[in-house]
Amino acid sequence: MTVAPWVLIAELTHRCPLRCAYCSNPLQLTPRAAELDSATWVQALSQAWKLGVRMVHFTGGEPLLEPELETLVASARALGLYPTLITSGLGPCAHTETLRRVDALAAAGLRAVQVSFQGAVRGTGLAIAGRDAFEQKLAFARRSRQIGLSLTTNLVLHRANLEQAERFVELSLELEADRVELAHVQYHGWAALNRSRLIPDAERIEELNRWIGRAKQAYGARLELVYVMADHFSGKAKACMNGWARQAIVIAPDGKVLPCHAADTLPLRHANIKESALADIWRHGEAFEAFRGEAWMEAPCASCPERARDFGGCRCQALALTGRATAADPACRFSPEHQKLVELHRQDGSAPLTFRGNPPL
């Protein structure tokens, strides 16, 4: 029997004020005219609750660009969902208005905020995201804590900012964050285009890994430190989304219902919330059934003792690097095509960055 999901990832829009070169949004971004309206989102939230979902992450793109965000947060809270906001901290108007909007969102029922940073010092954002918004992010994070929201700070790690990880944890303590997430780039979407410029060398990764171990001991009583390892260097496949179609549902801005953020890159039929009930999609949808469980697995995954923990790794990465979605994830050292991933570490990193585009209005 299929277990109910517990989290809905609601991608409200692909629009964003930043142009991060590591963005995992798809290369074909959904235009504003094709985005779901708020009434459809409210219906989707209700269906998610009935299915068993108890937490909703409002994300994007930048969810603060959705004018009906307060309505959606209030609807989620009224249902009994725990609403969180994953944001750059940048809205469509003057930053003073954006800070006032945090108050409105909290009044509507928002419980937690995750603010993403490009670095721990001024100027890093300009180089990687086309805009330096460091001070605005700090102000947004501080205001969130002042009004009692749970705060997570997030830093996406890549070649240009690994040395800032220690300072970022210190900054998170200064902001009185409850949780800090240091997450290596996931190479989907725009990040895949820029892999050679983003991927660090193995020695620097090992140094960071050792520091993370020390930091967790030093800060554990004051701050939850979550570290998302770079699977390119671990020799292990990651349990992508904690297993395909096991815990989470993603709804894209145009209404496509996906098992993971990048699933639209796979040759599968993805149902749309505008046409099918969420429960039917979760239980019987082609995309959700495709890699659920172990029946789809090939050697070496099919007999691997890790298969109940890593669930075969990332299907999107397997397709991108091997041409077959059912292949063993090349991140795993037991994959026959592991060398393909190793070779990516040796690419010339001098090419110019391709910055994320923005969808047509």
Side-chain angles (χ1 to χ4, degrees), residues 33 71 88 119 141 173 177 182 202 220 240 303 306 323:
T71 298
S88 68
L173 286 166
L182 301 173
C240 186
S303 59
E306 293 295 316

Side-chain angles (χ1 to χ4, degrees), residues 68-92:
E68 298 297 324
L69 181 57
E70 288 85 349
T71 298
L72 300 183
V73 168
S75 297
R77 196 72 190 117
L79 287 164
L81 292 163
Y82 185 96
T84 71
L85 180 68
I86 300 175
T87 178
S88 68
L90 305 175

Side-chain angles (χ1 to χ4, degrees), residues 24 30 68 82 99 140 165 194 233 235 263 271 283 304 318 330 351:
S24 61
T30 300
E68 298 297 324
Y82 185 96
L99 295 181
F140 191 95
N194 292 298
F233 296 91
R283 295 182 182 123
C304 178

Side-chain angles (χ1 to χ4, degrees), residues 49-123:
W49 168 260
K50 292 174 183 176
L51 182 57
V53 167
R54 292 300 176 261
M55 177 177 284
V56 55
H57 299 318
F58 291 111
T59 183
E62 175 46 65
L64 290 173
L65 299 185
E66 168 52 57
E68 298 297 324
L69 181 57
E70 288 85 349
T71 298
L72 300 183
V73 168
S75 297
R77 196 72 190 117
L79 287 164
L81 292 163
Y82 185 96
T84 71
L85 180 68
I86 300 175
T87 178
S88 68
L90 305 175
C93 50
H95 199 62
T96 52
E97 292 297 321
T98 301
L99 295 181
R100 282 195 283 269
R101 197 172 184 200
V102 182
D103 293 23
L105 289 167
L110 188 68
R111 302 295 299 277
V113 167
Q114 176 178 299
V115 183
S116 62
F117 287 76
Q118 282 68 50
V121 296
R122 295 170 186 83

Side-chain angles (χ1 to χ4, degrees), residues 43 113 124 181 236 271 294 316 342 348 360:
Q43 292 173 7
V113 167
T124 310
E181 182 177 288
K236 298 180 180 180
E294 300 178 6
C316 303
V342 173
D348 177 17

Side-chain angles (χ1 to χ4, degrees), residues 237-238 240 243-246 266 268 286-303 306-308 310-316 318-319 322 324-329:
K238 66 176 179 291
C240 186
W244 185 272
R246 294 183 71 249
L266 298 169
L268 299 170
E286 175 187 317
F288 284 79
E289 287 289 285
F291 304 111
R292 184 181 267 150
E294 300 178 6
W296 60 271
M297 292 183 180
E298 304 175 355
C301 298
S303 59
E306 293 295 316
R307 67 186 184 279
D310 64 25
F311 309 104
C314 178
R315 297 300 88 218
C316 303
L319 177 67
T322 74
R324 293 186 303 112
T326 55
D329 185 343

Side-chain angles (χ1 to χ4, degrees), residues 28-361:
Q28 296 298 319
L29 296 164
T30 300
R32 183 173 187 174
E35 293 174 3
L36 296 180
D37 58 33
S38 60
T40 304
W41 274 116
V42 169
Q43 292 173 7
L45 292 170
S46 178
Q47 291 182 38
W49 168 260
K50 292 174 183 176
L51 182 57
V53 167
R54 292 300 176 261
M55 177 177 284
V56 55
H57 299 318
F58 291 111
T59 183
E62 175 46 65
L64 290 173
L65 299 185
E66 168 52 57
E68 298 297 324
L69 181 57
E70 288 85 349
T71 298
L72 300 183
V73 168
S75 297
R77 196 72 190 117
L79 287 164
L81 292 163
Y82 185 96
T84 71
L85 180 68
I86 300 175
T87 178
S88 68
L90 305 175
C93 50
H95 199 62
T96 52
E97 292 297 321
T98 301
L99 295 181
R100 282 195 283 269
R101 197 172 184 200
V102 182
D103 293 23
L105 289 167
L110 188 68
R111 302 295 299 277
V113 167
Q114 176 178 299
V115 183
S116 62
F117 287 76
Q118 282 68 50
V121 296
R122 295 170 186 83
T124 310
L126 182 62
I128 196 70
R131 178 178 175 183
D132 187 13
F134 187 69
E135 296 297 339
Q136 292 98 313
K137 290 172 177 291
L138 289 177
F140 191 95
R142 290 190 182 109
R143 184 59 188 164
S144 298
R145 288 299 294 132
Q146 287 171 358
I147 61 176
L149 296 175
S150 176
L151 174 64
T152 296
T153 54
N154 169 269
L155 179 65
V156 176
L157 297 168
H158 49 82
R159 178 184 299 179
N161 69 0
L162 282 189
E163 287 80 6
Q164 298 182 32
E166 184 171 357
R167 172 62 190 129
F168 188 73
V169 172
E170 294 171 352
L171 176 65
S172 299
L173 286 166
E174 293 168 12
L175 292 170
E176 299 182 344
D178 302 293
R179 184 173 182 266
V180 57
E181 182 177 288
L182 301 173
H184 283 272
V185 168
Q186 302 298 307
Y187 293 99
H188 304 299
W190 301 88
L193 283 182
N194 292 298
R195 190 192 307 259
S196 66
R197 284 291 307 277
L198 296 172
I199 196 164
D201 59 60
E203 291 75 14
R204 294 172 70 193
I205 290 286
E206 285 302 318
E207 182 180 339
L208 176 62
N209 291 348
R210 289 191 292 270
W211 178 82
I212 289 291
R214 297 193 298 271
K216 285 188 173 183
Q217 290 186 338
Y219 301 120
R222 302 168 60 193
L223 180 71
E224 181 185 359
L225 198 165
V226 177
Y227 179 53
V228 181
M229 177 63 180
D231 61 356
H232 277 50
F233 296 91
S234 68
K236 298 180 180 180
K238 66 176 179 291
C240 186
M241 300 293 289
N242 290 313
W244 185 272
R246 294 183 71 249
Q247 297 182 359
I249 299 178
V250 179
I251 301 182
D254 61 358
K256 283 182 184 175
V257 184
L258 309 170
C260 77
H261 301 79
D264 203 18
T265 63
L266 298 169
L268 299 170
R269 189 180 72 83
H270 299 289
N272 195 295
I273 192 65
K274 293 182 289 187
E275 301 165 355
S276 303
L278 196 61
D280 290 340
I281 298 171
W282 172 258
R283 295 182 182 123
H284 310 297
E286 175 187 317
F288 284 79
E289 287 289 285
F291 304 111
R292 184 181 267 150
E294 300 178 6
W296 60 271
M297 292 183 180
E298 304 175 355
C301 298
S303 59
C304 178
E306 293 295 316
R307 67 186 184 279
R309 287 184 284 273
D310 64 25
F311 309 104
C314 178
R315 297 300 88 218
C316 303
Q317 183 161 266
L319 177 67
L321 296 182
T322 74
R324 293 186 303 112
T326 55
D329 185 343
C332 178
R333 64 184 180 277
F334 298 119
S335 165
E337 298 178 90
H338 180 59
Q339 189 61 28
K340 288 186 176 181
L341 186 137
V342 173
E343 291 298 326
L344 293 173
H345 307 165
R346 301 168 184 162
Q347 289 181 345
D348 177 17
S350 62
L353 285 171
T354 299
F355 287 96
R356 177 196 191 275
N358 264 312
L361 298 179

